[in-house]
Amino acid sequence: MSQNILETPRLLIRSFFLEDLPAIHRILEQTFGAGDKGTEDSALQERRSWLQWSILNQEWFPKLHQPPYGDRAVVLNKTGKLIGSVGYVPMLDVYDQIPELANAATPSGFTTPEFGLFWVIDPQYQRKGYATEAAQAMIATAFTEMKLKRIIATTDYSNLASQGVMHKLGMNLSHNPSPQPSWLQVVGILENGNRDEQ
């Protein structure tokens, strides 16, 4: 998948280019940051390092015969405008606290790995179904080409928009009965073979 472009009815999902830096920096700063570091040079240079790493992921993970982890650009088909990012992420956490992922009656406290899905869309383009459309393309690839057994996504209780995307993707939402860790409150779980055909 590393060199492939995924195309949906409205989107292209492709590797990032260095020229994408201003747009993706603004999007990530507005959605995950305080929104006040959009033009700070130090923040931009840190984001440049992340972008270079994201680009190299697409080259090196396939060469190492590893899953194609990393972020990809989400671009509008008609205009070529970059409106977000979607990607596969390695996730390591205390997933046996989540009832549907537990291997024993009592959580062990050990961390276990899961294969995760990440998405972010420019606030100007949210609530138009773009996150769901991009994520569906990534799930289809993971389940058909990679034969992945399961994919998950995580969020907190307050992020109702992400939970809505999880529902639209056919994920079963599970809640962490423990208040910690704070970032692992809601887990969307999708098993291969249990999702509706698109």
Side-chain angles (χ1 to χ4, degrees):
M1 164 171 187
S2 62
Q3 301 304 319
N4 295 340
I5 295 175
L6 296 180
E7 189 167 355
T8 71
R10 299 182 296 167
L11 304 171
L12 290 177
I13 299 167
R14 61 160 172 81
S15 295
F16 276 110
F17 305 131
L18 286 176
E19 296 79 18
D20 294 325
L21 178 62
I24 194 61
H25 178 62
R26 180 188 57 76
I27 292 167
L28 293 174
E29 178 60 25
Q30 287 181 347
T31 52
F32 294 114
D36 59 349
K37 296 182 181 175
T39 58
E40 262 186 35
D41 190 55
S42 62
L44 194 62
Q45 291 311 311
E46 184 174 326
R47 188 79 67 199
R48 178 185 303 277
S49 177
W50 168 86
L51 184 60
Q52 290 168 329
W53 171 77
S54 296
I55 293 167
L56 287 171
N57 279 344
Q58 303 310 304
E59 176 183 353
W60 282 101
F61 276 127
K63 288 180 180 179
L64 297 170
H65 305 288
Q66 295 300 310
Y69 289 123
D71 292 79
R72 292 160 182 81
V74 176
V75 177
L76 292 176
N77 265 339
K78 290 185 177 179
T79 64
K81 182 175 178 64
L82 189 149
I83 63 163
S85 177
V86 66
Y88 302 127
V89 290
M91 303 179 82
L92 184 68
D93 221 317
V94 286
Y95 292 112
D96 68 354
Q97 287 182 192
I98 308 302
E100 287 79 0
L101 298 176
N103 290 323
T106 306
S108 67
F110 291 120
T111 59
T112 54
E114 287 287 343
F115 193 94
L117 182 64
F118 166 83
W119 59 82
V120 62
I121 297 294
D122 187 328
Q124 298 174 12
Y125 291 89
Q126 290 176 1
R127 301 190 191 320
K128 300 179 187 301
Y130 292 128
T132 302
E133 192 171 325
Q136 284 172 330
M138 298 293 282
I139 289 168
T141 298
F143 282 175
T144 58
E145 292 182 20
M146 297 165 53
K147 307 295 186 206
L148 191 69
K149 178 183 177 184
R150 172 172 66 214
I151 197 164
I152 72 166
T154 64
T155 192
D156 57 43
Y157 291 125
S158 66
N159 194 340
L160 299 179
S162 257
Q163 292 174 51
V165 172
M166 292 177 191
H167 276 294
K168 290 175 187 172
L169 294 173
M171 290 182 159
N172 293 317
L173 271 60
S174 183
H175 296 89
N176 187 348
S178 172
Q180 296 299 322
S182 60
W183 59 84
L184 187 63
Q185 297 174 345
V186 179
V187 179
I189 304 165
L190 188 61
E191 301 281 343
N192 196 344
N194 291 339
R195 68 185 193 97
D196 295 331
E197 291 301 317
Q198 302 304 319

